[in-house]
């Protein structure tokens, strides 16, 4: 990411137990923000799990490759479903990006 004095990187942490502060601090240019507990509305992508889990729930896959194939197909399909994705992730407080 080439973080440094002239290029800052912001890392948003969701409060997962594996997100622990760095013992020596972060390198120059890297900042972290920790989301409050139980705040999936601040991380809209969290709501997408149910769309990806639908294809793998209650199934046993013979290999990691087989699981990856099914998830890849579902994600490729979801990329074409912008209206569906918007229903799960577009919140009234989230500004629309305009290109």
């Amino acid at each position: 990411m080439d973080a440094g004095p002239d290029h800052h990187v912001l890392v948003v942490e969701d409060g997962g137990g594996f997100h622990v502060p760095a013992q020596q601090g972060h390198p120059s240019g890297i900042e972290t923000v920790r989301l409050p507990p139980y705040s999936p509305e601040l991380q809209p992508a969290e709501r997408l799990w149910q769309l990806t889990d639908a294809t793998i729930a209650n199934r046993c896959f013979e290999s990691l490759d087989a699981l990856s194939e099914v998830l890849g197909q579902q994600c490729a399909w979801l990329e074409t479903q912008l209206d569906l994705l918007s229903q799960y992730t577009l919140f009234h407080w989230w500004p629309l990006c305009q290109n």
Side-chain angles (χ1 to χ4, degrees):
M1 306 274 4
D2 295 325
D6 297 325
H7 184 200
H8 295 270
V9 175
L10 179 65
V11 178
V12 179
E13 298 176 343
D14 63 6
F18 47 86
H19 293 145
V20 295
Q23 291 180 351
Q24 294 85 16
H26 297 289
S28 174
I30 296 182
E31 308 276 334
T32 60
V33 173
R34 182 176 229 112
L35 296 175
Y38 309 106
S39 57
E41 71 280 359
L42 298 178
Q43 181 61 289
E46 289 293 324
R47 298 188 65 206
L48 296 175
W49 284 116
Q50 58 190 301
L51 297 175
T52 56
D53 289 351
T55 58
I56 62 171
N58 300 316
R59 290 182 62 185
C60 181
F61 293 89
E62 292 190 22
S63 67
L64 183 57
D65 287 339
L67 170 64
S68 295
E69 177 68 23
V70 170
L71 279 176
Q73 290 173 358
Q74 180 69 358
C75 289
W77 177 79
L78 284 170
E79 284 183 321
T80 68
Q81 306 301 310
L82 298 182
D83 289 338
L84 178 62
L85 294 175
S86 293
Q87 292 174 25
Y88 282 81
T89 60
L90 189 59
F91 299 100
H92 69 279
W93 50 263
W94 198 359
L96 295 175
C97 296
Q98 297 185 13
N99 295 334

